[in-house]
Amino acid sequence: MKPYVLRVFGLVLIAVFFTVSNLLANSAPGTEPETIAEIDASKKLQEAWTLLSDYYKKPGNIDESIRIAEGISQADPGNMEALLFLSRAWLTYGYIEAGTKEELIRAFENGMKQGEKAVKLEPDNPDAHFFYVANLASLGDTKGLFNSLFMLPEVRRELDTILKLDPNHPEGLAMNGALYFYLPGLLGGDLHISEIYLKRSLGVDPHLSSARLYLAANYIKQKRFDEAMEQLRLLIDDKKPSFYPDWHENRKYALNMMRSIEAKARMEKAGRD
């Protein structure tokens, strides 16, 4: 299994996503399934979520979840939950299953198309904008640096839209923080602004492992190593991660980062001795 990352502008951005309950809870009021067809679609989508939530356990789970959700979407093109699921699942497929550049492009293009459909269906849905821009940024990076820079204005607009629609959108806040963390200063990168966004994200969802991992990386760049270690320990010891599969992958990154900090400390101590 490849590391679960989302790259933005040639730089790694750990994926930030929803739990099943987050996404379903954000459905519009009055959209509870009423007909037999709607009830059947709801059950099938829950099955797809179960498979996606266990992507780290069995190869092929993501493919099967996509197959189920595509069937729902084909039968009911206006099913918002299915569109959001497909946009998210294709993004996951890209970084977990895709083995070639062509497969990556196909996955992110599919995810972007589903996200775009969701945005058109519900323009004021921040989750739709989030999944659209996540796939958009990933597609740009896969195609190369020029495409990434070309897409930067749209990525910024989408992130601004997400936070206008929902100022406390934890994933939107985290993605903003990661963007400011990685962009060079000439393009607007700023570690202090990044830190503010990441802390805001964790204030909304303290169990969002991607935001905590990026806050640790931010502290490392600022040479605030003790604070970085504290964030990494909190991530590793988290008993209630927002989405276990993502935490499972991010925990590996956290352990590697801790080892790197400890090795650096040993080298500095040896140099003083």
Side-chain angles (χ1 to χ4, degrees):
M1 181 179 291
K2 295 184 293 181
Y4 186 33
V5 297
L6 165 63
R7 296 177 183 273
V8 176
F9 313 117
L11 300 162
V12 176
L13 172 60
I14 303 300
V16 282
F17 289 126
F18 302 109
T19 61
V20 178
S21 58
N22 286 147
L23 189 55
L24 296 180
N26 287 335
S27 302
T31 59
E32 293 80 4
E34 295 177 352
T35 67
I36 294 175
E38 288 174 336
I39 293 171
D40 183 56
S42 180
K43 288 180 179 178
K44 287 181 178 178
L45 193 58
Q46 288 286 1
E47 180 185 352
W49 264 116
T50 298
L51 288 165
L52 188 64
S53 298
D54 288 341
Y55 72 72
Y56 66 103
K57 292 181 179 180
K58 181 183 176 182
N61 275 0
I62 300 174
D63 296 83
E64 181 62 14
S65 74
I66 289 173
R67 186 192 66 78
I68 293 171
E70 283 182 336
I72 297 170
S73 189
Q74 288 169 6
D76 179 10
N79 189 312
M80 186 65 175
E81 285 72 32
L83 291 174
L84 291 175
F85 179 91
L86 284 167
S87 188
R88 187 249 196 270
W90 276 116
L91 184 66
T92 306
Y93 179 92
Y95 287 109
I96 299 299
E97 300 290 350
T100 65
K101 181 177 180 180
E102 289 72 25
E103 279 190 277
L104 282 167
I105 290 173
R106 180 177 71 90
F108 299 142
E109 284 182 342
N110 286 341
M112 191 174 71
K113 288 175 183 175
Q114 298 299 328
E116 189 173 25
K117 289 179 183 177
V119 168
K120 288 181 179 179
L121 188 64
E122 293 186 14
D124 293 336
N125 188 315
D127 302 343
H129 288 276
F130 175 78
F131 287 116
Y132 169 73
V133 73
N135 280 283
L136 172 69
S138 298
L139 179 63
D141 177 71
T142 302
K143 288 186 173 181
L145 179 61
F146 178 79
N147 279 278
S148 295
L149 295 176
F150 179 77
M151 292 176 177
L152 179 57
E154 185 175 4
V155 169
R156 286 190 180 279
R157 285 195 299 272
E158 285 296 316
L159 290 175
D160 287 345
T161 297
I162 291 167
L163 296 186
K164 285 179 182 177
L165 293 171
D166 181 2
N168 292 318
H169 195 280
E171 292 81 9
L173 290 166
M175 192 169 177
N176 266 286
L179 185 63
Y180 277 103
F181 172 78
Y182 275 123
L183 283 176
L186 289 174
L187 292 177
D190 188 306
L191 288 178
H192 298 294
I193 294 176
S194 167
E195 181 181 346
I196 290 169
Y197 273 116
L198 292 167
K199 284 182 173 178
R200 283 180 60 193
S201 175
L202 288 167
V204 178
D205 182 358
H207 302 291
L208 189 61
S209 61
S210 55
R212 197 167 296 284
L213 194 69
Y214 267 97
L215 184 57
N218 183 301
Y219 286 151
I220 290 172
K221 262 196 176 183
Q222 296 187 57
K223 301 188 184 302
R224 294 159 61 181
F225 299 113
D226 289 343
E227 290 170 273
M229 289 291 280
E230 179 184 2
Q231 293 301 318
L232 293 171
R233 290 191 190 97
L234 286 170
L235 189 159
I236 291 167
D237 296 336
D238 195 348
K239 304 302 182 185
K240 298 179 180 179
S242 295
F243 192 55
Y244 184 88
D246 292 350
W247 172 85
H248 183 267
E249 296 299 323
N250 289 339
R251 187 176 184 275
K252 299 174 186 177
Y253 287 102
L255 288 168
N256 287 334
M257 290 167 69
M258 288 184 74
R259 294 187 190 106
S260 178
I261 294 172
E262 289 166 350
K264 181 179 177 63
R266 285 195 297 271
M267 289 177 63
E268 291 181 350
K269 184 176 184 298
R272 291 193 298 269
D273 295 343

